[in-house]
Amino acid sequence: MKNAADVLRELSHPSNVATQSSMALVGSVDAAGADEDEKRKEKDLDALRRKPQLQAISTRELGSFRLAPWDVLHTLARAVALARRGAGRGLAEHWGSLKYSQALTGGSNVYMKLSAEGRETADYYKALQSDELGVGFGLALAKEVLARRYPEHMVSITPADTALRAGWALTSRDKGPRAGYRYRPRYFAEVWKPGEPSRVFPIESKGNHSNAATSHDQLASASAHVEAVHIGSWNETPSLVFSTELLVEGPLTVHALHSAGRDGWLDLGAKSTGRNLNHLVEDENFFPGIQPPTEGDRTPQKEPGFHVTPEHREWFRHVLARTAAAGLTAFAGDGEATVQYLTKRQGSRHFTGFAHAATGSVQDAREELLGIQFVGTDHVFRLNRTRVEAFSGVAEDLFRHLAGGRVEQYRSEVYARRDAWPVATWDSKWRGPVSMNPDGSVLAMRVLA
């Protein structure tokens, strides 16, 4: 059993991450989708509507991908901060990422893979581990691809269900005309720059402990999920799909494809109401369905899914910005600050009142990491019998804007600092691994003296 200090050191070591994206992969995924549709036909089910043309991601955008395990856990933690999947009722969900503190291993000249502890965990919790680590790797790669594609922009990740709930009823528990369609992307990536239109990419990220053939099936399924949201024109919304193959022996591989499209833009439009991101958002009740283009004098029936039509672009930009802000304040442990950013249907009630024992989170910690002052929340647990402390938070000056409801000011300042964040993965004064994101968030851990 490794001592905790060695585990923390390994968490900070960047490794190469194997990626796979090619025309051969496209062909395999198309074949997997065709096989699935045949099976559905035998069961008298309709074929799934998938992205019409998945493509390989260019080497320029995908190549030379390196990550420290701690960065993967940070990405996963940020992604699930609004998940409301466990007894934490949405306030401390992100601490669940720490269970993978010993699951990954690698080094400066090798590819990242499952550690001995990760392989042992896979024997008992295969589906959970592959799903959650698949999210971590997929979103980390999505951010890298989009940052290379749009070098002068920021990339914000928001949970799709949370964002969509501001306009549509997703389940029977939501008030409004229910969508009744279970296929939808898990996340949205918003690529933005102050004062300019932003662009949105639906993302689906899966994982498995099997083989490449399983990843082909997962990518075919992921294609149906991202196709369920159209932003603007019919079949013109760009998207990204990922499947992380977590082999029990050998390096892990992230299989990745994308769909191109001319839309996905959230511009202000000629009839802009000049929405200020600092203002509250109210729940809307849009009728679900994606409207295909007219064919002569005939208007086709709507397809299942969710359609952000041109008149709702500005509203959706508003929703995404405030949902992203909610994710940051939740990550810092501040339920009171989070409530202001979510509508009732988005789950604002989950950040007030009672929380189950050991699942609550309070924004009452302050730490200096790599020379920057952060505020947030902390969590103490045992790692191989040694007491360790984890800290998650947001740069103090940026957090004050978010706590005060000043999203416009936050976005302006975090954009100006996008290239100024330290790239070091270890803080000798803190004595532990540190991961900083361009959004101003940080995740750090150390052995308690």
Side-chain angles (χ1 to χ4, degrees):
M1 182 184 293
K2 294 180 181 177
N3 65 50
D6 289 340
V7 172
L8 298 194
R9 277 287 179 189
E10 287 194 7
L11 284 169
S12 70
H13 292 161
S15 300
N16 299 313
V17 177
T19 58
Q20 215 279 324
S21 188
S22 64
M23 289 305 299
L25 179 61
V26 173
S28 296
V29 172
D30 287 344
D35 288 345
E36 176 60 23
D37 287 342
E38 280 297 320
K39 294 176 184 176
R40 291 178 65 86
K41 185 177 180 181
E42 292 172 2
K43 298 176 183 178
D44 293 325
L45 297 174
D46 293 334
L48 292 177
R49 198 181 74 252
R50 296 183 173 86
K51 280 293 178 187
Q53 274 192 319
L54 286 177
Q55 302 174 17
I57 301 174
S58 71
T59 304
R60 177 179 58 85
E61 294 176 347
L62 193 64
S64 303
F65 185 47
R66 288 175 60 81
L67 275 177
W70 196 236
D71 291 329
V72 178
L73 301 193
H74 185 183
T75 300
L76 173 60
R78 282 283 291 109
V80 302
L82 294 177
R84 296 189 286 123
R85 296 184 304 172
R89 294 163 60 89
L91 194 52
E93 299 282 357
H94 62 291
W95 293 131
S97 67
L98 300 180
K99 62 179 172 285
Y100 301 117
S101 295
Q102 299 181 80
L104 301 168
T105 187
S108 58
N109 297 313
V110 297
Y111 283 97
M112 196 178 297
K113 61 182 181 179
L114 286 177
S115 65
E117 197 272 350
R119 294 194 297 272
E120 184 175 339
T121 302
D123 289 339
Y124 299 96
Y125 304 104
K126 238 177 209 183
L128 179 64
Q129 186 191 68
S130 61
D131 180 69
E132 293 188 327
L133 288 180
V135 168
F137 281 101
L139 293 183
L141 186 52
K143 290 190 295 182
E144 184 68 21
V145 167
L146 293 175
R148 293 175 180 180
R149 190 177 295 181
Y150 300 92
E152 299 300 318
H153 292 70
M154 293 284 293
V155 180
S156 294
I157 303 292
T158 55
D161 272 13
T162 307
L164 290 173
R165 273 195 165 92
W168 293 269
L170 303 186
T171 67
S172 58
R173 291 176 297 174
D174 301 327
K175 292 184 178 179
R178 185 183 170 194
Y181 192 58
R182 70 184 184 89
Y183 291 93
R184 49 186 179 266
R186 206 181 304 196
Y187 294 96
F188 291 123
E190 182 195 8
V191 179
W192 59 271
K193 182 178 182 180
E196 294 187 6
S198 60
R199 199 175 195 195
V200 180
F201 295 75
I203 295 174
E204 180 64 22
S205 185
K206 299 172 180 282
N208 67 83
H209 286 294
S210 300
N211 50 37
T214 302
S215 283
H216 302 159
D217 292 339
Q218 288 188 332
L219 289 172
S221 172
S223 179
H225 286 272
V226 295
E227 173 66 5
V229 174
H230 282 206
I231 299 170
S233 306
W234 169 259
N235 269 340
E236 291 291 348
T237 305
S239 62
L240 294 161
V241 292
F242 303 94
S243 173
T244 301
E245 182 187 350
L246 294 145
L247 295 176
V248 175
E249 297 293 339
L252 62 87
T253 302
V254 185
H255 301 267
L257 295 173
H258 79 121
S259 62
R262 294 172 295 178
D263 218 322
W265 293 100
L266 300 181
D267 50 25
L268 301 183
K271 297 182 180 180
S272 169
T273 58
R275 279 179 176 265
N276 188 308
L277 301 182
N278 296 346
H279 295 164
L280 298 178
V281 174
E282 297 292 336
D283 280 324
E284 299 285 352
N285 285 298
F286 303 136
F287 280 94
I290 303 171
Q291 182 61 64
T294 57
E295 301 171 355
D297 295 332
R298 175 178 166 272
T299 300
Q301 194 172 21
K302 286 186 176 183
E303 295 285 351
F306 310 88
H307 197 172
V308 181
T309 53
E311 65 270 24
H312 298 136
R313 292 179 192 263
E314 192 175 0
W315 167 85
F316 196 54
R317 174 177 171 270
H318 194 179
V319 168
L320 286 178
R322 292 186 69 83
T323 304
L328 282 164
T329 53
F331 188 69
D334 196 325
E336 184 177 344
T338 303
V339 168
Q340 65 185 312
Y341 291 117
L342 300 175
T343 69
K344 184 177 181 179
R345 203 162 56 205
Q346 282 183 300
S348 59
R349 67 188 182 279
H350 294 286
F351 294 88
T352 59
F354 170 79
H356 292 284
T359 63
S361 184
V362 180
Q363 189 275 298
D364 61 355
R366 194 168 183 267
E367 298 288 351
E368 181 179 307
L369 298 163
L370 298 175
I372 299 173
Q373 197 68 53
F374 289 87
V375 294
T377 186
D378 52 15
H379 178 61
V380 176
F381 63 104
R382 289 189 183 274
L383 181 61
N384 295 346
R385 301 181 181 179
T386 301
R387 292 175 72 240
V388 295
E389 174 191 14
F391 172 84
S392 67
V394 177
E396 185 170 18
D397 55 338
L398 297 175
F399 180 81
R400 297 306 170 207
H401 284 313
L402 293 170
R406 299 185 294 274
V407 183
E408 296 277 6
Q409 292 87 332
Y410 160 77
R411 286 205 157 194
S412 177
E413 292 192 19
V414 80
Y415 177 80
R417 292 164 59 177
R418 68 191 185 283
D419 296 323
W421 299 100
V423 296
T425 56
W426 184 270
D427 187 323
S428 56
K429 186 177 178 181
W430 166 262
R431 306 184 316 280
V434 175
S435 172
M436 290 190 186
N437 273 0
D439 62 7
S441 67
V442 69
L443 185 67
M445 190 159 68
R446 65 180 173 183
V447 174
L448 280 178

